[in-house]
Amino acid sequence: MPASEDRVAIVTGASRGIGREIARQLSARGISVCAGVRNHGPESPTVEGNSAASGTYCETTLDVTQPDSVREAVQAVLRMFGRIDILVNNAGISDGDHDALRLDVEAFKNVMDVNVLGAWRLCESVIPAMTANNYGRIVNISSTLGSLHHLNRATEPAYRVSKAAINALTRVFAARLSGTGILVNAASPGWVRTDLGGPNAPRSVQQGADTPVWLATLPEDGPSGGLFYDREPLEW
């Protein structure tokens, strides 16, 4: 298993909110972090890095809905660092408070494309690099709103369905990668004060990022195929 200072992480949706905090916490642990940013500055190179006392931090243009953007970002990270050890699929959007009986097809497609297919694309792209080193940690950001056990309201229907799907995707990839040294888990950050969660949410971004960072740095005997909230298993 590589030492912390040798590990390399990609965090999607890292321009703000939970994603930015996850990237910060991983970097503070000495991990080199490449933050996927959809709207990277046009004057910036594909990957620009800064070395600090903690891990190296860089940003790369990454639109999870565009397969070419995903491939180019992953290849840029591999050229810069030579490896990818951690993937945090944080990029996500919501459909808002829509009526489940009045399906907005385009809104549903957009939510699924970002929240589910985006994570799937990243997994497919980084797993070969992880497999080559017999080490990997994949963390899919889910939500309690996607837990079937807790699903007793109809708000944000597309978002809920997408997070239930990301839970299923987590189980599928965990089973497929069993025995490879790659652990795949999902995390619910809870209701966090972000642009998505709003200013009245009870949890800080630091609290929301804690469980994803814990899962991203699990030891070899850590769990795989689980859904966690505050480092404890959450009902599917």
Side-chain angles (χ1 to χ4, degrees):
M1 183 173 67
S4 293
E5 60 270 19
D6 296 326
R7 296 179 193 155
V8 178
I10 295 178
V11 181
T12 70
S15 62
R16 60 185 186 274
I18 297 171
R20 183 176 181 179
E21 179 62 19
I22 290 170
R24 188 196 68 78
Q25 290 189 25
L26 289 174
S27 181
R29 290 172 175 244
I31 295 169
S32 295
V33 179
C34 195
V37 178
R38 186 175 61 179
N39 296 315
H40 199 59
E43 302 303 320
S44 301
T46 304
V47 173
E48 68 175 20
N50 292 291
S51 293
S54 55
T56 298
Y57 177 87
C58 71
E59 290 186 356
T60 184
T61 303
L62 175 54
D63 183 342
V64 301
T65 68
Q66 301 299 316
D68 287 346
S69 178
V70 170
R71 285 192 293 269
E72 289 168 6
V74 169
Q75 288 305 309
V77 174
L78 287 173
R79 285 194 299 270
M80 184 173 184
F81 296 104
R83 63 186 302 133
I84 297 172
D85 304 290
I86 297 166
L87 168 64
V88 181
N89 283 312
N90 169 74
I93 60 173
S94 174
D95 56 322
D97 193 14
H98 288 150
D99 187 344
L101 297 181
R102 296 182 179 180
L103 176 64
D104 184 330
V105 174
E106 289 306 311
F108 180 77
K109 287 180 179 178
N110 289 338
V111 170
M112 295 298 286
D113 197 17
V114 174
N115 296 4
V116 183
L117 294 179
W120 204 320
R121 293 181 186 109
L122 264 297
C123 287
E124 285 188 325
S125 294
V126 305
I127 283 170
M130 292 179 174
T131 302
N133 291 312
N134 300 307
Y135 179 91
R137 302 291 181 266
I138 297 174
V139 183
N140 296 320
I141 302 303
S142 183
S143 172
T144 306
L145 298 184
S147 165
L148 299 182
H149 180 85
H150 293 280
L151 210 165
N152 54 13
R153 297 180 63 191
T155 56
E156 301 178 77
Y159 180 79
R160 289 175 181 271
V161 170
S162 75
K163 292 305 182 180
I166 204 69
N167 292 344
L169 187 70
T170 298
R171 297 283 285 182
V172 167
F173 273 104
R176 175 62 178 83
L177 296 168
S178 177
T180 65
I182 302 172
L183 306 181
V184 186
N185 290 286
S188 170
W191 186 13
V192 176
R193 291 186 295 276
T194 63
D195 289 348
L196 184 64
N200 297 321
R203 290 165 67 86
S204 68
V205 290
Q206 291 80 11
Q207 290 173 303
D210 178 75
T211 295
V213 170
W214 169 65
L215 291 171
T217 55
L218 286 173
E220 291 181 0
D221 61 351
S224 190
L227 171 62
F228 295 88
Y229 175 77
D230 283 346
R231 303 194 183 192
E232 295 293 335
L234 181 68
E235 301 92 339
W236 292 106

